[in-house]
Amino acid sequence: MKLKSCNNCMVYGTDNKPLSRARVVVQNDEKILLFFSNYKLRSVRFKTVVDFYDNQQGLIRCYCELVIKKNTFSTQVTEPWMADCDVLETYEVFQRQKDLREKVHMPVDATTEYGQAFSGTVQNISAGGIFLVTAQPLKVGARFWFDYRFEGEKCQIKAKILRVKPMTGGYGYGCQFYGLTNDAEKAVRKYVFQKQLERQRQAGKRS
């Protein structure tokens, strides 16, 4: 398994519950180092599951051997713990980026391809599309766009309606992105990953 663009991961404990988030550094295109801000770790060698969040490939779940130790690069970085990570097995990439879907509440002001303005709320988002709820009746195949700021970066998002779900007081539309610029696509993927990481952290706090 070769990571292409990864700087974050979630390490699970032997109980299969989230243990800690880690920063990922890949040396010489193959050696993987993990750096932990979590002060509650200890020196240990163990085998466990690690979810790598790769900006190009998506979520990659691997079975790894970790050797956690005091950070020997402490003069250069601030994390108290680090780990040598040896990937023993790469599981099937069961959640590619286009399938990573996170619940959100994003009010948007959109415009159809015919210039008709309407308002709605994005209820979930993935790197491939959104689920939009609005009172505006639209047809399958209709296209629209809206502007949104992802962590301060304003992007134009274009979407095409693939399916319609009647809802109380309006409609729910399953939509697919199209024609995104590289910057917009990157911003959406980063946003989805950040939401995924937040959910993982919350799960770790509840465990």
Side-chain angles (χ1 to χ4, degrees):
M1 188 276 297
K2 185 175 182 179
L3 298 174
K4 294 182 179 180
S5 178
C6 179
N7 53 28
N8 283 288
C9 73
M10 173 61 71
V11 176
Y12 290 82
T14 54
D15 57 359
N16 294 322
K17 294 181 180 180
L19 175 65
S20 180
R21 179 183 175 186
R23 181 170 63 89
V24 178
V25 174
V26 181
Q27 294 185 329
N28 301 321
D29 291 330
E30 54 182 38
K31 183 177 181 180
I32 301 174
L33 299 177
L34 308 182
F35 293 89
F36 300 88
S37 297
N38 187 344
Y39 282 84
K40 298 180 180 180
L41 301 180
R42 59 187 178 88
S43 297
V44 66
R45 177 193 294 266
F46 68 113
K47 297 177 182 179
T48 191
V49 172
V50 178
D51 283 345
F52 292 99
Y53 303 98
D54 190 291
N55 288 315
Q56 294 186 30
Q57 301 177 84
L59 189 152
I60 306 172
R61 174 160 289 184
C62 300
Y63 185 58
C64 304
E65 182 174 43
L66 302 184
V67 180
I68 297 180
K69 55 190 176 182
K70 290 288 187 179
N71 186 359
T72 58
F73 296 92
S74 58
T75 58
Q76 301 176 20
V77 293
T78 58
E79 294 97 334
W81 294 96
M82 64 177 292
D84 295 323
C85 178
D86 184 16
V87 176
L88 304 177
E89 181 181 357
T90 300
Y91 296 150
E92 180 181 359
V93 184
F94 63 95
Q95 284 186 310
R96 297 188 184 276
Q97 277 201 319
K98 65 180 180 180
D99 298 321
L100 265 175
R101 189 169 296 276
E102 290 297 320
K103 291 182 179 180
V104 293
H105 181 81
M106 296 168 46
V108 297
D109 294 317
T111 304
T112 70
E113 58 189 325
Y114 302 110
Q116 184 178 19
F118 67 95
S119 298
T121 302
V122 175
Q123 291 192 344
N124 65 51
I125 184 171
S126 74
I130 57 174
F131 185 77
L132 175 72
V133 175
T134 176
Q136 180 67 40
L138 298 168
K139 296 181 179 180
V140 171
R143 302 187 179 202
F144 62 91
W145 62 269
F146 60 88
D147 291 330
Y148 196 81
R149 288 190 178 275
F150 295 96
E151 297 184 352
E153 183 176 355
K154 185 177 180 180
C155 300
Q156 185 178 90
I157 304 301
K158 299 179 180 180
K160 176 182 178 181
I161 296 174
L162 299 182
R163 62 184 185 278
V164 180
K165 178 183 179 181
M167 302 181 70
T168 302
Y171 307 89
Y173 298 106
C175 308
Q176 181 182 50
F177 296 138
Y178 75 94
L180 298 186
T181 65
N182 289 336
D183 287 343
E185 184 177 357
K186 183 178 179 180
V188 171
R189 289 181 175 178
K190 182 178 179 181
Y191 180 79
V192 173
F193 278 144
Q194 289 300 321
K195 289 295 182 182
Q196 174 77 1
L197 289 171
E198 290 174 12
R199 184 165 61 83
Q200 294 278 18
R201 285 200 297 269
Q202 291 299 320
K205 291 179 181 178
R206 290 194 297 268
S207 61

